[in-house]
Amino acid sequence: PARRGGCLLHSAMVKLVKFLKAQKVVLVLNGRYAGKKGVIVKTFDEGTDSRKYGHCIVAGVAKAPLKVKKGMSAKKVEKRSRIKPFLKVLNFNHLMPTRYSVEIDFKPAGITQDIMNNDGKRKEARKAVKTLFQDRYTSGKNKWFFSKLRF
């Protein structure tokens, strides 16, 4: 059917582009971790039985590592380089996507919807994410991701 202005629009032709994909860096907008950076681990575009809206599992940095100086002891450097991660299931509306992505493979951590519902397994998954983030930070890759967001 033609519309004014000569634009043809068919519902079959319109296809939404999925830009919220795994490994995409996002900012959390609402809740306890508002203003924190995170990475999408897994997306559920069509929703699930328990959550009927589009959502995703996000792994992020709850507490960023502190600055380190040359004169600090190795023990102090190790302590200040710690990262506290978070794992959360978030609605797409509560995320702000960025143009950046981080190549962290979350497959070995095995993070799924079932793990997010079980507190014990969720804790283990959070520890796995911590080691992944810690290794990434100490190797010097993606330093910007582990810095505190200033705004």
Side-chain angles (χ1 to χ4, degrees):
R3 296 178 67 199
R4 275 189 209 171
C7 178
L8 286 171
L9 186 66
H10 291 287
S11 60
M13 295 171 79
V14 176
K15 185 161 167 86
L16 295 172
V17 179
K18 306 256 192 294
F19 59 92
L20 287 170
K21 295 177 183 163
Q23 300 181 338
K24 176 71 85 172
V25 176
V26 293
L27 299 178
V28 180
L29 300 177
N30 292 17
R32 179 180 179 182
Y33 300 109
K36 303 290 184 187
K37 294 176 197 169
V39 184
I40 295 177
V41 177
K42 191 173 171 72
T43 58
F44 302 93
D45 296 317
E46 304 303 317
T48 57
D49 292 337
S50 59
R51 296 169 195 262
K52 306 237 185 268
Y53 48 86
H55 59 281
C56 60
I57 299 173
V58 176
V61 181
K63 189 170 179 284
L66 300 168
K67 274 191 177 174
V68 172
K69 293 183 180 174
K70 201 179 357 177
M72 291 181 181
S73 66
K75 186 179 176 184
K76 193 165 188 176
V77 168
E78 192 272 323
K79 191 166 184 168
R80 290 175 74 94
S81 297
R82 287 188 189 148
I83 297 167
K84 184 182 178 190
F86 68 86
L87 266 176
K88 202 151 176 65
V89 178
L90 290 166
N91 188 330
F92 285 148
N93 295 338
H94 300 177
L95 297 174
M96 184 171 133
T98 64
R99 62 182 177 175
Y100 303 105
S101 59
V102 178
E103 274 72 51
I104 298 176
D105 187 25
F106 291 104
K107 294 242 186 318
I111 301 165
T112 61
Q113 193 78 29
D114 300 329
I115 285 174
M116 295 302 289
N117 295 335
N118 185 331
D119 287 339
K121 290 180 181 176
R122 188 179 186 149
K123 207 171 201 174
E124 293 301 314
R126 197 179 304 119
K127 284 179 186 173
V129 168
K130 182 175 181 154
T131 56
L132 287 170
F133 280 174
Q134 209 79 43
D135 295 342
R136 195 82 179 171
Y137 178 71
T138 51
S139 67
K141 294 177 183 167
N142 306 108
K143 285 271 192 196
W144 54 269
F145 179 71
F146 301 106
S147 64
K148 191 174 179 183
L149 196 63
R150 299 269 181 200
F151 59 93

